[in-house]
């Protein structure tokens, strides 16, 4: 996809899903067990999702004209702050 707005939205969806998995993995159970309630597989999967989403956004949320990284904040950027052209969003 070449639209930076869609790539940013997809990146944030995956990142927030990763945050939820990290939370669930770190507070997995209340019963006493050998790993103190932690589920390292869920925690690791969530951490990988967060890292993958960050890398995705750094690589894909770029101006289609000058290829510079756009702001990764949640507000919409219609015009590239570097070249002044429409970002296509």
């Amino acid at each position: 996809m070449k639209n930076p707005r869609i790539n940013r939205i997809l990146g944030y969806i995956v990142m927030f899903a990763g945050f939820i998995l990290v939370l669930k993995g770190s507070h997995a159970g209340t019963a006493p067990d050998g790993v103190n309630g932690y589920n390292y597989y869920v925690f690791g999967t969530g951490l990988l999702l967060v890292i993958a989403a960050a890398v995705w956004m750094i690589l894909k949320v770029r101006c289609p004209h000058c290829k510079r990284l756009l702001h990764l904040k949640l507000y919409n950027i219609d015009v590239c702050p570097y070249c002044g052209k429409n970002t296509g969003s």
Side-chain angles (χ1 to χ4, degrees):
M1 278 177 245
K2 295 192 181 215
N3 190 339
R5 180 179 181 197
I6 293 174
N7 288 330
R8 183 174 43 215
I9 290 170
L10 289 175
Y12 273 114
I13 289 171
V14 172
M15 186 176 285
F16 288 133
F19 286 147
I20 290 170
L21 287 177
V22 166
L23 179 68
K24 293 292 183 184
S26 61
H27 299 326
T30 57
D33 57 3
V35 292
N36 300 324
Y38 292 106
N39 188 338
Y40 293 113
Y41 297 114
V42 174
F43 183 83
T45 302
L47 192 60
L48 285 175
L49 282 176
V50 170
I51 292 170
V55 170
W56 168 267
M57 289 194 296
I58 289 172
L59 293 176
K60 295 291 186 174
V61 181
R62 296 188 172 269
C63 174
H65 304 288
C66 67
K67 304 294 185 217
R68 294 191 64 186
L69 181 65
L70 296 173
H71 296 289
L72 297 177
K73 296 178 183 176
L74 288 175
Y75 62 86
N76 191 15
I77 299 172
D78 290 330
V79 177
C80 177
Y82 304 107
C83 68
K85 294 182 180 177
N86 188 0
T87 59
S89 51

